[in-house]
Amino acid sequence: MADSSVSNDILHVEKHVAYIRSLDTRRDSLEYWLTEHLRLSGVYWGLTALCLLGHPDALPRDDTIAFVKSCQHPCGGFGAHPGHDPHLLYTVSAIQILAIEDALDAIDQDAVVSWISGLQQEDGVFAGDEWGETDTRFLYGAMNCLSLLGRLDAINVPKAVEYVMRCQNHDGGFGMAPGAESHSGQIFTCVGALAIAGDLERLDKDLLGDWLCERQLPNGGLNGRPEKLEDVCYSWWVLSSMAMIGKLDWIDKDSLVKFILRCQDEEKGGIADRPGDMPDVFHTVFGVAGLSLLGYEGLEEVDPVYSHLSSLDFQIAESCNVA
């Protein structure tokens, strides 16, 4: 557990690397098996954090690729773990991992493209799986995957862009669907989709930048929407969107860096959602990615559209949707 009484003024790189490497060794714990439904995304979060920390080889490459392949279904989609149903969220994690490992040729790419393109709906949005739930997360995920595979031509990009613009609100932000409340995570998915499509000029960047910079609280942390608590993960969702629209300098960078560093567990490694809480790999990767966007010395440069040196996960945890 992170000790909020300790002054964390540096990033404990080696501790974080050791923490991430230890996560797959805890198979005798109940927590390990209760999080099986997040396993593939967990591998992606950990691998991305390691790459940004300058330790891309800390996980065994062959084992990582083999695990990803074991999660693919004949339809082309990937589940969170062998035996789990295919879903676009985990398919994105799989493609991102393989892109980082330069191993996209290890899978049947045509099957992936066919499966993803079949999830686009008539109005341009995407379902997450065969059961039909739609969300701008899935739209961004589809465009992320297909662009990494060089196959954006397999979907109707103009329709996807029009759907994104229908999700914009009067405050400049975006929701998960037309008329839904603006949320930092959904803003990332919508701005990211527009960036991939080459349509960022359709945004009122000043209006959106105003809404995003107002997410910073007096303690330096960022929240997901008005009147909510700060959370390290928004160091990614908010900052990446601001970077894409050229407004990153609208944030008090020094105070945010200090907030993220205070969320570290300086003894065991890992980063928590806020000081004093238990660290996890989800907040670790987004804390490190946020520091990278802020230009923290010694970190690899993160791409705000795809994240990591190649691409970061966009999956918004349930805790962040209600935070």
Side-chain angles (χ1 to χ4, degrees):
M1 184 172 179
D3 183 356
S4 59
S5 68
V6 175
S7 176
N8 265 316
D9 56 3
I10 61 169
L11 183 66
H12 300 287
V13 173
E14 297 302 328
K15 294 281 182 71
H16 298 322
V17 171
Y19 166 75
I20 294 167
R21 293 185 67 183
S22 74
L23 293 176
D24 198 48
T25 66
R26 304 175 182 178
R27 301 190 183 195
D28 58 347
S29 70
L30 178 61
E31 180 185 11
Y32 182 90
W33 297 106
L34 289 178
T35 56
E36 185 179 85
H37 66 292
L38 293 173
R39 189 73 67 239
L40 189 56
S41 288
V43 172
Y44 176 66
W45 297 331
L47 179 61
T48 297
L50 290 169
C51 289
L52 294 177
L53 290 166
H55 291 263
D57 300 322
L59 296 182
R61 181 177 185 272
D62 291 345
D63 291 349
T64 299
I65 295 171
F67 175 72
V68 172
K69 291 177 65 176
S70 73
C71 295
Q72 187 174 27
H73 288 253
C75 67
F78 291 77
H81 192 274
H84 286 229
D85 290 342
H87 195 284
L88 192 47
L89 291 179
Y90 304 112
T91 301
V92 177
S93 293
I95 297 303
Q96 291 172 321
I97 291 169
L98 296 175
I100 292 171
E101 298 288 14
D102 192 22
L104 286 170
D105 58 353
I107 58 169
D108 182 347
Q109 297 184 32
D110 288 340
V112 178
V113 171
S114 177
W115 184 76
I116 292 176
S117 63
L119 294 173
Q120 188 169 27
Q121 309 299 297
E122 183 61 32
D123 60 1
V125 73
F126 282 75
D129 57 21
E130 64 178 309
W131 306 110
E133 177 190 11
T134 60
D135 191 317
T136 51
R137 292 178 300 166
F138 310 151
L139 185 153
Y140 166 78
M143 295 183 67
N144 179 308
C145 282
L146 294 176
S147 61
L148 287 174
L149 294 171
R151 290 298 310 277
L152 272 177
D153 62 308
I155 61 171
N156 190 324
V157 174
K159 269 195 172 182
V161 168
E162 290 307 318
Y163 185 87
V164 167
M165 296 310 300
R166 287 173 53 210
C167 295
Q168 189 171 32
N169 295 315
H170 63 86
D171 57 14
F174 292 81
M176 65 181 291
E181 178 186 14
S182 295
H183 186 284
S184 299
Q186 305 297 155
I187 288 172
F188 164 76
T189 66
C190 290
V191 175
L194 293 176
I196 292 171
D199 278 325
L200 284 176
E201 74 279 357
R202 299 191 61 169
L203 293 173
D204 182 335
K205 296 178 182 178
D206 286 346
L207 182 62
L208 177 56
D210 281 339
W211 192 92
L212 289 168
C213 73
E214 288 175 0
R215 305 281 60 77
Q216 190 161 32
L217 301 178
N219 63 10
L222 303 170
N223 64 15
R225 49 197 170 111
E227 305 302 324
K228 298 298 180 180
L229 292 175
E230 70 284 353
D231 189 316
V232 157
C233 70
Y234 295 114
S235 304
W236 170 253
W237 309 122
V238 173
L239 289 187
S240 57
S241 297
M242 298 190 78
M244 284 186 271
I245 62 174
K247 305 295 183 184
L248 199 54
D249 59 346
W250 288 17
I251 286 288
D252 182 341
K253 297 182 180 182
D254 290 342
S255 65
L256 179 54
V257 167
K258 291 177 182 177
F259 171 76
I260 297 171
L261 295 178
R262 290 199 305 272
C263 294
Q264 298 178 98
D265 185 328
E266 69 166 13
E267 294 182 2
K268 297 181 179 180
I271 299 175
D273 56 350
R274 53 187 64 92
D277 287 351
M278 293 290 291
D280 58 72
V281 68
F282 178 85
H283 290 92
T284 299
V285 67
F286 292 124
V288 172
L291 290 173
S292 175
L293 281 173
L294 294 169
Y296 191 89
E297 186 177 359
L299 295 178
E300 297 293 332
E301 185 176 354
V302 68
D303 184 311
V305 179
Y306 292 94
S307 189
H308 166 59
L309 317 170
S310 206
S311 102
L312 236 205
D313 187 67
F314 75 100
Q315 182 181 350
I316 302 171
E318 287 302 316
S319 62
C320 292
N321 275 329
V322 299

